[in-house]
Amino acid sequence: MGFWGYTFTPEFTPMKVTIENHDGRLRLRWQHQGKRFCFACGVKADAVGMSVARMRAAEIERGIQAGYFDPTLLKYKPQRLGRNGTDITAPELFHRFT
């Protein structure tokens, strides 16, 4: 029994995303709606990598709490530039203008 005879049950249990060192690289692990998730951060297990992993973990935890979690994990992966008509590398740009 809780305060004044009422039993309090939390409606929300906060999710905890754990950061693991896997062979010198950092990855995140957590559970959501009965499924286990694993996300490779793509960074080394050092101070800079740990800060990147903490930011990703916080982003995932916010997504779960707010209800906009992406189970495909595409939202949390860094965007990479592809090769299309508008992408150009620095050397190519230099050669075009010299």
Side-chain angles (χ1 to χ4, degrees):
M1 294 298 263
F3 185 72
W4 292 80
Y6 292 102
T7 303
F8 296 104
T9 57
E11 294 179 10
F12 175 75
T13 55
M15 293 302 302
K16 179 66 177 163
V17 177
T18 58
I19 302 172
E20 296 179 350
N21 182 349
H22 181 71
D23 294 331
R25 310 291 285 175
L26 294 178
R27 69 179 177 188
L28 307 176
R29 287 187 173 266
W30 69 97
Q31 287 187 348
H32 178 62
Q33 295 180 345
K35 290 177 120 182
R36 293 172 50 183
F37 290 91
C38 182
F39 179 78
C41 294
V43 294
K44 292 181 183 179
D46 58 3
V48 174
M50 185 60 81
S51 67
V52 170
R54 284 184 184 139
M55 287 190 312
R56 292 276 183 235
E59 184 179 1
I60 291 169
E61 288 173 355
R62 279 192 309 268
I64 291 171
Q65 290 173 358
Y68 58 83
F69 173 70
D70 179 17
T72 63
L73 305 180
L74 292 175
K75 180 178 183 177
Y76 310 108
K77 293 182 182 180
Q79 299 294 320
R80 294 185 181 162
L81 290 177
R83 292 293 295 167
N84 60 30
T86 60
D87 290 344
I88 188 168
T89 63
E92 290 173 349
L93 183 65
F94 178 78
H95 287 295
R96 283 189 186 181
F97 289 102
T98 55

Coordinates of all heavy atoms in Angstrom, one line a residue:
M1 N 0.8 -1.2 0.0 CA 0.0 0.0 0.0 C 0.9 1.2 0.0 O 1.9 1.3 0.6 CB -0.9 0.0 1.2 CG -1.9 -1.1 1.2 SD -3.1 -1.0 -0.1 CE -4.4 -0.2 0.6
G2 N 0.4 2.2 -0.7 CA 1.2 3.4 -0.8 C 0.6 4.5 0.1 O 0.0 4.2 1.1
F3 N 0.8 5.7 -0.2 CA 0.4 6.8 0.5 C -1.1 6.9 0.6 O -1.8 6.8 -0.4 CB 1.0 8.1 -0.1 CG 0.7 9.4 0.6 CD1 1.4 9.6 1.8 CD2 -0.2 10.3 0.2 CE1 1.2 10.7 2.5 CE2 -0.4 11.4 0.9 CZ 0.3 11.7 2.1
W4 N -1.7 7.0 1.8 CA -3.1 7.1 2.0 C -3.9 5.9 1.6 O -5.0 6.0 1.2 CB -3.7 8.4 1.4 CG -3.2 9.6 2.0 CD1 -2.1 10.3 1.8 CD2 -3.9 10.4 3.0 NE1 -1.9 11.4 2.5 CE2 -3.1 11.5 3.3 CE3 -5.1 10.3 3.6 CZ2 -3.4 12.5 4.2 CZ3 -5.5 11.3 4.5 CH2 -4.6 12.4 4.8
G5 N -3.2 4.8 1.5 CA -3.9 3.5 1.2 C -4.0 3.3 -0.3 O -4.6 2.3 -0.7
Y6 N -3.5 4.1 -1.1 CA -3.5 3.9 -2.6 C -2.2 3.2 -3.0 O -1.1 3.5 -2.6 CB -3.6 5.2 -3.3 CG -4.9 5.9 -3.1 CD1 -5.1 7.0 -2.3 CD2 -6.1 5.5 -3.8 CE1 -6.3 7.6 -2.1 CE2 -7.3 6.1 -3.6 CZ -7.4 7.1 -2.7 OH -8.6 7.7 -2.5
T7 N -2.4 2.3 -4.0 CA -1.2 1.7 -4.6 C -0.9 2.4 -5.9 O -1.8 2.5 -6.8 CB -1.5 0.2 -4.8 OG1 -1.9 -0.4 -3.6 CG2 -0.3 -0.5 -5.4
F8 N 0.3 2.8 -6.0 CA 0.7 3.5 -7.3 C 1.5 2.6 -8.2 O 2.4 1.9 -7.8 CB 1.6 4.7 -6.9 CG 0.9 5.8 -6.1 CD1 1.2 5.9 -4.8 CD2 0.0 6.6 -6.7 CE1 0.5 6.9 -4.0 CE2 -0.6 7.6 -6.0 CZ -0.4 7.7 -4.6
T9 N 1.0 2.5 -9.4 CA 1.7 1.7 -10.4 C 2.2 2.7 -11.5 O 1.3 3.5 -12.0 CB 0.9 0.6 -11.0 OG1 -0.3 1.2 -11.6 CG2 0.5 -0.4 -10.0
P10 N 3.4 2.7 -11.8 CA 3.9 3.6 -12.9 C 3.3 3.2 -14.2 O 3.2 2.1 -14.6 CB 5.4 3.5 -12.9 CG 5.6 2.2 -12.3 CD 4.5 1.9 -11.3
E11 N 2.8 4.2 -15.0 CA 2.3 4.0 -16.3 C 3.4 3.8 -17.3 O 3.2 3.2 -18.3 CB 1.4 5.2 -16.7 CG 0.2 5.3 -15.9 CD -0.7 6.5 -16.3 OE1 -0.4 7.1 -17.4 OE2 -1.6 6.8 -15.6
F12 N 4.5 4.4 -17.0 CA 5.7 4.3 -17.9 C 6.9 3.9 -17.2 O 7.2 4.5 -16.1 CB 5.9 5.7 -18.5 CG 7.1 5.8 -19.4 CD1 7.1 5.2 -20.7 CD2 8.2 6.4 -19.0 CE1 8.2 5.2 -21.5 CE2 9.4 6.4 -19.8 CZ 9.3 5.8 -21.0
T13 N 7.6 2.9 -17.7 CA 8.9 2.5 -17.2 C 9.9 3.0 -18.1 O 9.9 2.7 -19.3 CB 9.0 1.0 -17.0 OG1 8.7 0.4 -18.2 CG2 8.0 0.5 -16.0
P14 N 10.9 3.8 -17.7 CA 11.9 4.4 -18.6 C 12.8 3.3 -19.2 O 13.1 2.4 -18.5 CB 12.7 5.4 -17.7 CG 12.4 5.0 -16.3 CD 11.1 4.3 -16.3
M15 N 13.0 3.4 -20.5 CA 13.9 2.4 -21.1 C 15.4 2.9 -20.9 O 15.7 4.0 -20.9 CB 13.6 2.4 -22.6 CG 12.3 1.9 -23.0 SD 12.0 0.2 -22.4 CE 13.3 -0.7 -23.2
K16 N 16.2 1.9 -20.7 CA 17.6 2.1 -20.6 C 18.4 1.5 -21.7 O 18.3 0.3 -21.9 CB 18.1 1.5 -19.2 CG 19.5 1.7 -19.0 CD 19.9 3.2 -18.8 CE 21.3 3.3 -18.4 NZ 21.8 4.6 -18.6
V17 N 19.0 2.3 -22.5 CA 19.8 1.9 -23.6 C 21.2 1.7 -23.0 O 21.8 2.7 -22.5 CB 19.8 2.9 -24.8 CG1 20.8 2.4 -25.9 CG2 18.4 3.1 -25.3
T18 N 21.8 0.5 -23.1 CA 23.1 0.3 -22.6 C 24.2 0.4 -23.7 O 23.9 0.0 -24.9 CB 23.2 -1.1 -21.9 OG1 22.9 -2.1 -22.9 CG2 22.3 -1.2 -20.8
I19 N 25.3 0.9 -23.3 CA 26.4 1.0 -24.3 C 27.4 -0.1 -24.0 O 27.8 -0.3 -22.8 CB 27.1 2.4 -24.1 CG1 26.1 3.5 -24.4 CG2 28.3 2.5 -25.1 CD1 26.6 4.9 -24.1
E20 N 27.8 -0.9 -25.0 CA 28.7 -2.0 -24.8 C 29.9 -1.8 -25.7 O 29.9 -1.3 -26.8 CB 28.0 -3.3 -25.2 CG 26.9 -3.7 -24.3 CD 26.3 -5.0 -24.8 OE1 26.6 -5.5 -25.9 OE2 25.4 -5.5 -24.1
N21 N 31.1 -2.3 -25.2 CA 32.3 -2.4 -26.0 C 32.3 -3.8 -26.6 O 32.4 -4.8 -25.9 CB 33.5 -2.2 -25.0 CG 34.8 -2.1 -25.8 OD1 34.9 -2.5 -27.0 ND2 35.8 -1.7 -25.1
H22 N 32.3 -3.8 -27.9 CA 32.3 -5.1 -28.6 C 33.6 -5.1 -29.6 O 33.5 -4.4 -30.6 CB 31.0 -5.2 -29.5 CG 31.0 -6.5 -30.2 ND1 30.8 -7.7 -29.6 CD2 31.1 -6.7 -31.6 CE1 30.8 -8.6 -30.5 NE2 31.0 -8.1 -31.7
D23 N 34.6 -5.7 -29.1 CA 35.9 -5.8 -29.9 C 36.4 -4.4 -30.2 O 36.8 -4.2 -31.4 CB 35.7 -6.6 -31.1 CG 35.4 -8.1 -30.8 OD1 35.8 -8.6 -29.8 OD2 34.7 -8.7 -31.6
G24 N 36.4 -3.5 -29.3 CA 37.0 -2.2 -29.5 C 36.0 -1.2 -30.2 O 36.4 -0.1 -30.5
R25 N 34.8 -1.6 -30.5 CA 33.8 -0.7 -31.1 C 32.6 -0.7 -30.2 O 32.4 -1.6 -29.4 CB 33.4 -1.3 -32.5 CG 34.5 -1.7 -33.4 CD 35.2 -0.5 -34.0 NE 34.4 0.2 -35.0 CZ 34.8 1.3 -35.5 NH1 35.9 1.9 -35.2 NH2 34.1 1.9 -36.5
L26 N 31.9 0.4 -30.2 CA 30.8 0.6 -29.3 C 29.4 0.2 -30.0 O 29.3 0.5 -31.2 CB 30.7 2.0 -28.9 CG 31.9 2.5 -28.0 CD1 31.7 3.9 -27.6 CD2 32.0 1.6 -26.7
R27 N 28.6 -0.4 -29.3 CA 27.2 -0.7 -29.8 C 26.2 -0.5 -28.6 O 26.6 -0.5 -27.5 CB 27.2 -2.1 -30.3 CG 27.2 -3.2 -29.2 CD 27.1 -4.6 -29.9 NE 27.3 -5.6 -28.9 CZ 27.4 -6.9 -29.1 NH1 27.3 -7.3 -30.4 NH2 27.5 -7.7 -28.2
L28 N 25.0 -0.3 -29.1 CA 23.9 0.0 -28.1 C 23.0 -1.2 -28.1 O 22.7 -1.9 -29.1 CB 23.1 1.2 -28.5 CG 23.9 2.5 -28.8 CD1 23.0 3.6 -29.3 CD2 24.6 2.9 -27.5
R29 N 22.4 -1.5 -26.9 CA 21.5 -2.6 -26.8 C 20.3 -2.2 -25.9 O 20.5 -1.5 -24.9 CB 22.1 -3.9 -26.1 CG 23.0 -4.6 -27.1 CD 23.5 -5.9 -26.4 NE 24.2 -6.7 -27.3 CZ 23.7 -7.7 -28.0 NH1 22.4 -8.0 -27.9 NH2 24.4 -8.4 -28.8
W30 N 19.1 -2.6 -26.2 CA 17.9 -2.2 -25.4 C 16.8 -3.1 -25.9 O 16.9 -3.9 -26.8 CB 17.5 -0.8 -25.6 CG 17.0 -0.4 -27.0 CD1 15.7 -0.3 -27.3 CD2 17.8 -0.1 -28.1 NE1 15.6 0.0 -28.6 CE2 16.8 0.1 -29.2 CE3 19.1 -0.1 -28.4 CZ2 17.2 0.4 -30.5 CZ3 19.5 0.2 -29.7 CH2 18.6 0.5 -30.7
Q31 N 15.7 -3.1 -25.1 CA 14.4 -3.8 -25.4 C 13.3 -2.8 -25.5 O 13.2 -1.8 -24.8 CB 14.1 -4.8 -24.3 CG 15.0 -6.0 -24.3 CD 14.5 -7.0 -23.3 OE1 13.6 -6.8 -22.5 NE2 15.0 -8.2 -23.4
H32 N 12.4 -3.1 -26.5 CA 11.2 -2.2 -26.7 C 10.1 -3.1 -27.2 O 10.3 -3.8 -28.2 CB 11.6 -1.1 -27.7 CG 10.4 -0.2 -28.0 ND1 9.8 0.5 -27.0 CD2 9.8 0.1 -29.1 CE1 8.8 1.2 -27.5 NE2 8.8 0.9 -28.8
Q33 N 9.0 -3.1 -26.5 CA 7.8 -3.8 -26.9 C 8.1 -5.3 -27.1 O 7.7 -5.9 -28.1 CB 7.1 -3.3 -28.1 CG 6.6 -1.9 -27.9 CD 5.9 -1.3 -29.2 OE1 6.1 -1.8 -30.3 NE2 5.2 -0.2 -29.0
G34 N 8.9 -5.9 -26.2 CA 9.2 -7.3 -26.2 C 10.2 -7.7 -27.2 O 10.5 -8.9 -27.4
K35 N 10.8 -6.8 -28.0 CA 11.9 -7.1 -28.9 C 13.2 -6.6 -28.4 O 13.3 -5.5 -27.8 CB 11.6 -6.5 -30.3 CG 10.4 -7.0 -31.0 CD 10.2 -6.3 -32.3 CE 10.3 -7.2 -33.5 NZ 10.1 -6.5 -34.7
R36 N 14.3 -7.3 -28.7 CA 15.6 -6.9 -28.4 C 16.2 -6.2 -29.6 O 16.1 -6.7 -30.7 CB 16.4 -8.1 -27.9 CG 15.9 -8.6 -26.6 CD 16.6 -9.9 -26.3 NE 18.1 -9.8 -26.4 CZ 18.9 -10.8 -26.2 NH1 18.4 -12.0 -25.9 NH2 20.2 -10.7 -26.3
F37 N 16.9 -5.1 -29.4 CA 17.5 -4.3 -30.4 C 19.0 -4.2 -30.1 O 19.4 -4.1 -29.0 CB 16.9 -2.9 -30.5 CG 15.5 -2.9 -31.1 CD1 14.4 -3.0 -30.2 CD2 15.2 -2.8 -32.4 CE1 13.1 -2.9 -30.6 CE2 13.9 -2.8 -32.9 CZ 12.9 -2.9 -32.0
C38 N 19.8 -4.1 -31.2 CA 21.2 -3.9 -31.2 C 21.6 -3.0 -32.3 O 21.1 -3.1 -33.4 CB 21.9 -5.2 -31.3 SG 23.7 -5.1 -31.2
F39 N 22.4 -1.9 -31.9 CA 22.7 -0.9 -32.9 C 24.2 -0.6 -32.8 O 24.7 -0.2 -31.8 CB 21.9 0.4 -32.6 CG 22.2 1.5 -33.5 CD1 21.7 1.5 -34.8 CD2 23.1 2.5 -33.1 CE1 22.0 2.6 -35.7 CE2 23.3 3.6 -34.0 CZ 22.8 3.6 -35.3
A40 N 24.9 -0.9 -33.9 CA 26.4 -0.6 -33.9 C 26.6 0.9 -34.2 O 26.1 1.4 -35.2 CB 27.0 -1.5 -35.0
C41 N 27.3 1.5 -33.3 CA 27.5 3.0 -33.5 C 28.5 3.3 -34.6 O 28.5 4.4 -35.1 CB 27.9 3.6 -32.2 SG 26.7 3.5 -30.9
G42 N 29.4 2.4 -34.9 CA 30.4 2.7 -35.9 C 31.5 3.5 -35.4 O 32.2 4.2 -36.2
V43 N 31.8 3.6 -34.1 CA 32.8 4.4 -33.5 C 33.7 3.5 -32.6 O 33.3 2.5 -32.1 CB 32.3 5.6 -32.7 CG1 31.6 6.6 -33.6 CG2 31.4 5.1 -31.6
K44 N 35.0 4.0 -32.4 CA 35.9 3.3 -31.5 C 35.5 3.5 -30.1 O 34.8 4.4 -29.7 CB 37.3 3.8 -31.7 CG 37.9 3.5 -33.0 CD 39.3 4.1 -33.1 CE 39.9 3.8 -34.5 NZ 41.3 4.4 -34.5
A45 N 36.0 2.6 -29.2 CA 35.7 2.6 -27.8 C 36.7 3.6 -27.2 O 37.6 3.1 -26.4 CB 35.7 1.2 -27.2
D46 N 36.6 4.9 -27.4 CA 37.4 5.9 -26.7 C 36.5 7.0 -26.2 O 35.3 6.9 -26.3 CB 38.5 6.4 -27.7 CG 37.9 7.0 -29.0 OD1 36.7 7.1 -29.1 OD2 38.7 7.4 -29.8
A47 N 37.1 8.1 -25.8 CA 36.3 9.2 -25.2 C 35.3 9.8 -26.2 O 34.2 10.1 -25.9 CB 37.2 10.2 -24.6
V48 N 35.8 10.0 -27.4 CA 35.0 10.6 -28.5 C 33.9 9.7 -28.9 O 32.7 10.1 -29.0 CB 35.9 11.0 -29.7 CG1 35.0 11.5 -30.8 CG2 36.9 12.1 -29.3
G49 N 34.2 8.4 -29.1 CA 33.2 7.4 -29.4 C 32.2 7.3 -28.4 O 31.0 7.1 -28.7
M50 N 32.6 7.4 -27.1 CA 31.6 7.2 -26.0 C 30.6 8.4 -26.0 O 29.4 8.2 -25.8 CB 32.3 7.2 -24.7 CG 31.4 6.9 -23.5 SD 30.5 5.4 -23.6 CE 31.7 4.2 -23.0
S51 N 31.1 9.6 -26.3 CA 30.2 10.7 -26.4 C 29.2 10.6 -27.5 O 28.0 10.9 -27.4 CB 30.9 12.1 -26.5 OG 31.6 12.1 -27.7
V52 N 29.6 10.1 -28.7 CA 28.8 9.8 -29.8 C 27.7 8.7 -29.4 O 26.5 8.9 -29.7 CB 29.6 9.4 -31.1 CG1 28.6 8.9 -32.2 CG2 30.4 10.5 -31.6
A53 N 28.2 7.7 -28.8 CA 27.3 6.6 -28.4 C 26.2 7.1 -27.4 O 25.1 6.7 -27.4 CB 28.1 5.5 -27.8
R54 N 26.6 8.0 -26.5 CA 25.7 8.6 -25.5 C 24.6 9.4 -26.2 O 23.5 9.4 -25.8 CB 26.4 9.4 -24.4 CG 27.2 8.5 -23.4 CD 27.8 9.4 -22.4 NE 28.6 8.6 -21.5 CZ 29.7 8.9 -21.0 NH1 30.3 10.1 -21.3 NH2 30.4 8.1 -20.1
M55 N 25.0 10.2 -27.2 CA 24.1 11.0 -27.9 C 23.1 10.1 -28.7 O 21.9 10.4 -28.7 CB 24.8 11.9 -28.9 CG 25.5 13.1 -28.3 SD 26.1 14.3 -29.4 CE 27.0 13.4 -30.6
R56 N 23.5 9.0 -29.3 CA 22.6 8.1 -30.0 C 21.7 7.4 -29.0 O 20.5 7.3 -29.3 CB 23.4 7.1 -30.7 CG 24.2 7.6 -31.9 CD 23.3 7.7 -33.1 NE 24.2 8.1 -34.2 CZ 23.9 9.1 -34.9 NH1 22.8 9.9 -34.8 NH2 24.7 9.5 -35.9
A57 N 22.2 7.0 -27.8 CA 21.4 6.4 -26.8 C 20.3 7.3 -26.3 O 19.2 6.9 -26.2 CB 22.3 5.9 -25.7
A58 N 20.7 8.6 -26.1 CA 19.7 9.6 -25.6 C 18.6 9.8 -26.7 O 17.5 9.9 -26.4 CB 20.4 10.9 -25.3
E59 N 19.0 9.8 -28.0 CA 18.1 10.0 -29.0 C 17.1 8.9 -29.1 O 15.9 9.1 -29.3 CB 18.8 10.2 -30.4 CG 18.0 10.4 -31.5 CD 18.8 10.6 -32.8 OE1 20.0 10.4 -32.8 OE2 18.2 10.8 -33.9
I60 N 17.6 7.6 -28.9 CA 16.7 6.5 -29.0 C 15.8 6.5 -27.8 O 14.6 6.2 -27.9 CB 17.6 5.2 -29.0 CG1 18.3 5.1 -30.4 CG2 16.7 4.0 -28.7 CD1 19.3 4.0 -30.4
E61 N 16.3 6.8 -26.6 CA 15.5 6.9 -25.4 C 14.4 7.9 -25.5 O 13.2 7.7 -25.2 CB 16.3 7.1 -24.2 CG 17.2 5.9 -23.8 CD 18.1 6.2 -22.6 OE1 18.2 7.4 -22.2 OE2 18.8 5.3 -22.2
R62 N 14.7 9.1 -26.1 CA 13.7 10.1 -26.3 C 12.6 9.6 -27.3 O 11.5 9.9 -27.1 CB 14.4 11.4 -26.9 CG 15.0 12.3 -25.8 CD 15.3 13.6 -26.4 NE 16.1 13.6 -27.6 CZ 17.4 13.6 -27.7 NH1 18.1 13.6 -26.6 NH2 18.0 13.6 -28.9
G63 N 13.1 8.9 -28.3 CA 12.1 8.4 -29.3 C 11.1 7.4 -28.7 O 9.9 7.4 -29.0
I64 N 11.6 6.6 -27.8 CA 10.8 5.6 -27.2 C 9.8 6.3 -26.3 O 8.6 6.0 -26.2 CB 11.6 4.5 -26.4 CG1 12.4 3.7 -27.4 CG2 10.8 3.7 -25.5 CD1 13.4 2.8 -26.8
Q65 N 10.3 7.2 -25.5 CA 9.4 8.0 -24.5 C 8.4 8.8 -25.2 O 7.2 8.9 -24.8 CB 10.3 8.9 -23.6 CG 11.1 8.1 -22.6 CD 12.1 9.0 -21.9 OE1 12.1 10.2 -22.1 NE2 12.8 8.4 -21.0
A66 N 8.7 9.4 -26.3 CA 7.8 10.3 -27.0 C 6.9 9.5 -28.0 O 5.9 10.0 -28.5 CB 8.5 11.3 -27.8
G67 N 7.2 8.2 -28.3 CA 6.3 7.4 -29.1 C 6.7 7.5 -30.6 O 5.9 7.0 -31.4
Y68 N 7.8 8.0 -31.0 CA 8.2 8.0 -32.4 C 9.4 7.2 -32.6 O 10.2 7.5 -33.5 CB 8.3 9.5 -32.9 CG 9.4 10.3 -32.2 CD1 10.7 10.3 -32.5 CD2 9.0 11.2 -31.2 CE1 11.6 11.0 -31.8 CE2 9.9 12.0 -30.5 CZ 11.2 11.9 -30.8 OH 12.1 12.7 -30.2
F69 N 9.6 6.1 -31.9 CA 10.7 5.2 -32.1 C 10.7 4.5 -33.5 O 9.6 4.1 -33.9 CB 10.8 4.2 -31.0 CG 11.8 3.1 -31.2 CD1 13.1 3.4 -31.1 CD2 11.4 1.8 -31.5 CE1 14.1 2.4 -31.2 CE2 12.4 0.8 -31.7 CZ 13.7 1.1 -31.6
D70 N 11.8 4.5 -34.2 CA 11.8 3.8 -35.5 C 12.4 2.4 -35.4 O 13.6 2.3 -35.2 CB 12.7 4.7 -36.5 CG 12.8 4.1 -37.8 OD1 12.0 3.2 -38.2 OD2 13.7 4.5 -38.6
P71 N 11.6 1.4 -35.4 CA 12.1 0.0 -35.2 C 13.1 -0.5 -36.3 O 13.8 -1.4 -36.2 CB 10.9 -0.9 -35.1 CG 9.8 -0.1 -35.8 CD 10.2 1.4 -35.6
T72 N 13.1 0.2 -37.5 CA 14.0 -0.1 -38.6 C 15.4 0.4 -38.3 O 16.4 0.0 -38.9 CB 13.5 0.4 -39.9 OG1 13.5 1.8 -39.9 CG2 12.2 -0.1 -40.3
L73 N 15.5 1.3 -37.3 CA 16.8 2.0 -36.9 C 17.4 2.9 -38.0 O 18.5 3.4 -37.8 CB 17.8 0.9 -36.4 CG 17.3 0.0 -35.3 CD1 18.4 -1.0 -34.9 CD2 16.8 0.8 -34.1
L74 N 16.7 3.1 -39.1 CA 17.3 3.9 -40.2 C 17.4 5.4 -39.7 O 18.3 6.1 -40.1 CB 16.4 3.8 -41.4 CG 16.4 2.5 -42.1 CD1 15.4 2.5 -43.3 CD2 17.8 2.2 -42.6
K75 N 16.5 5.8 -38.8 CA 16.5 7.2 -38.3 C 17.8 7.5 -37.5 O 18.2 8.6 -37.5 CB 15.3 7.4 -37.5 CG 15.1 8.7 -36.9 CD 13.8 8.8 -36.1 CE 13.6 10.2 -35.6 NZ 12.4 10.3 -34.9
Y76 N 18.4 6.5 -36.9 CA 19.5 6.7 -36.0 C 20.9 6.5 -36.7 O 21.9 6.8 -36.1 CB 19.3 5.8 -34.8 CG 18.0 5.9 -34.2 CD1 17.0 4.9 -34.4 CD2 17.6 7.0 -33.6 CE1 15.8 5.0 -33.8 CE2 16.3 7.2 -33.1 CZ 15.4 6.1 -33.2 OH 14.1 6.2 -32.7
K77 N 20.9 6.1 -37.9 CA 22.1 5.9 -38.6 C 22.6 7.2 -39.3 O 21.8 8.0 -39.7 CB 22.0 4.8 -39.7 CG 21.7 3.4 -39.2 CD 21.6 2.4 -40.2 CE 21.3 1.1 -39.6 NZ 21.2 0.0 -40.6
P78 N 23.9 7.4 -39.3 CA 24.3 8.7 -39.9 C 24.1 8.7 -41.4 O 24.2 7.6 -42.1 CB 25.8 8.7 -39.6 CG 26.2 7.3 -39.3 CD 25.0 6.6 -38.8
Q79 N 23.7 9.8 -41.9 CA 23.4 10.0 -43.3 C 24.8 10.0 -44.1 O 25.7 10.7 -43.7 CB 22.7 11.3 -43.6 CG 21.3 11.3 -42.9 CD 20.4 10.3 -43.4 OE1 20.3 10.0 -44.6 NE2 19.6 9.6 -42.5
R80 N 24.8 9.2 -45.2 CA 26.0 9.2 -46.1 C 25.6 9.8 -47.4 O 24.5 9.6 -47.9 CB 26.5 7.8 -46.2 CG 27.0 7.2 -44.9 CD 27.6 5.8 -45.2 NE 28.0 5.3 -43.9 CZ 28.3 4.1 -43.7 NH1 28.1 3.2 -44.6 NH2 28.7 3.6 -42.5
L81 N 26.6 10.5 -48.0 CA 26.3 11.0 -49.3 C 26.4 9.9 -50.3 O 27.4 9.1 -50.3 CB 27.3 12.1 -49.6 CG 27.2 13.4 -48.8 CD1 28.3 14.4 -49.2 CD2 25.8 14.0 -49.1
G82 N 25.5 9.9 -51.2 CA 25.5 8.9 -52.3 C 26.1 9.6 -53.6 O 26.3 10.8 -53.6
R83 N 26.3 8.8 -54.6 CA 26.8 9.3 -55.8 C 25.6 9.5 -56.8 O 25.0 8.6 -57.3 CB 27.7 8.3 -56.5 CG 29.0 8.1 -55.7 CD 29.9 9.3 -55.8 NE 30.3 9.6 -57.1 CZ 30.9 10.7 -57.5 NH1 31.1 11.7 -56.7 NH2 31.2 10.9 -58.8
N84 N 25.2 10.7 -56.9 CA 24.2 11.1 -57.9 C 24.7 12.3 -58.6 O 25.8 12.8 -58.5 CB 22.8 11.3 -57.2 CG 22.8 12.4 -56.2 OD1 23.6 13.3 -56.3 ND2 22.0 12.3 -55.2
G85 N 23.8 12.9 -59.4 CA 24.2 14.0 -60.3 C 24.7 15.3 -59.5 O 25.4 16.1 -60.0
T86 N 24.2 15.5 -58.3 CA 24.6 16.7 -57.5 C 25.7 16.5 -56.6 O 26.3 17.5 -56.1 CB 23.3 17.2 -56.7 OG1 23.0 16.1 -55.8 CG2 22.2 17.5 -57.7
D87 N 26.1 15.3 -56.3 CA 27.2 15.0 -55.4 C 28.5 15.2 -56.2 O 28.7 14.7 -57.3 CB 27.2 13.6 -54.8 CG 26.1 13.5 -53.8 OD1 25.5 14.5 -53.4 OD2 25.7 12.4 -53.5
I88 N 29.5 15.8 -55.5 CA 30.8 16.0 -56.2 C 31.9 16.0 -55.1 O 31.6 16.5 -54.0 CB 30.9 17.3 -57.0 CG1 32.1 17.4 -57.8 CG2 30.7 18.5 -56.1 CD1 32.1 18.5 -58.8
T89 N 33.0 15.4 -55.4 CA 34.1 15.4 -54.4 C 34.9 16.7 -54.5 O 34.8 17.4 -55.5 CB 35.0 14.2 -54.6 OG1 35.6 14.3 -55.9 CG2 34.2 12.9 -54.5
A90 N 35.7 16.9 -53.5 CA 36.5 18.2 -53.4 C 37.5 18.2 -54.6 O 37.6 19.2 -55.3 CB 37.2 18.3 -52.1
P91 N 38.2 17.1 -54.9 CA 39.2 17.2 -56.1 C 38.4 17.4 -57.4 O 38.9 18.2 -58.2 CB 39.8 15.8 -56.1 CG 39.7 15.3 -54.7 CD 38.4 15.9 -54.2
E92 N 37.3 16.8 -57.6 CA 36.5 17.1 -58.8 C 36.1 18.5 -58.9 O 36.2 19.1 -60.0 CB 35.3 16.2 -58.9 CG 35.6 14.7 -59.1 CD 34.3 13.8 -58.9 OE1 33.3 14.3 -58.5 OE2 34.4 12.6 -59.3
L93 N 35.7 19.1 -57.8 CA 35.3 20.5 -57.8 C 36.4 21.4 -58.1 O 36.3 22.4 -58.9 CB 34.7 20.9 -56.4 CG 34.1 22.3 -56.3 CD1 32.9 22.5 -57.2 CD2 33.7 22.5 -54.9
F94 N 37.6 21.1 -57.6 CA 38.8 21.9 -57.8 C 39.2 21.8 -59.3 O 39.5 22.8 -59.9 CB 39.9 21.3 -56.9 CG 41.2 22.1 -57.2 CD1 41.5 23.3 -56.6 CD2 42.3 21.5 -57.9 CE1 42.6 24.0 -56.8 CE2 43.4 22.2 -58.1 CZ 43.6 23.4 -57.6
H95 N 39.1 20.6 -59.9 CA 39.5 20.5 -61.3 C 38.5 21.2 -62.2 O 38.9 21.7 -63.3 CB 39.7 19.0 -61.7 CG 40.9 18.4 -61.1 ND1 42.2 18.8 -61.5 CD2 41.0 17.4 -60.2 CE1 43.0 18.1 -60.8 NE2 42.4 17.2 -60.0
R96 N 37.3 21.2 -61.8 CA 36.3 21.9 -62.7 C 36.5 23.4 -62.7 O 36.2 24.1 -63.7 CB 34.9 21.7 -62.2 CG 34.4 20.3 -62.5 CD 32.9 20.2 -62.2 NE 32.4 18.9 -62.4 CZ 31.2 18.5 -62.2 NH1 30.3 19.4 -61.7 NH2 30.8 17.2 -62.4
F97 N 37.0 24.0 -61.6 CA 37.1 25.5 -61.6 C 38.6 25.9 -61.8 O 38.9 27.1 -61.6 CB 36.6 26.0 -60.2 CG 35.1 25.9 -60.1 CD1 34.5 24.9 -59.4 CD2 34.4 26.8 -60.8 CE1 33.1 24.9 -59.4 CE2 33.0 26.8 -60.8 CZ 32.4 25.8 -60.0
T98 N 39.5 25.0 -62.1 CA 40.9 25.5 -62.5 C 41.2 25.4 -63.9 O 40.5 24.6 -64.7 CB 41.9 24.7 -61.7 OG1 41.7 23.3 -61.9 CG2 41.8 25.0 -60.2

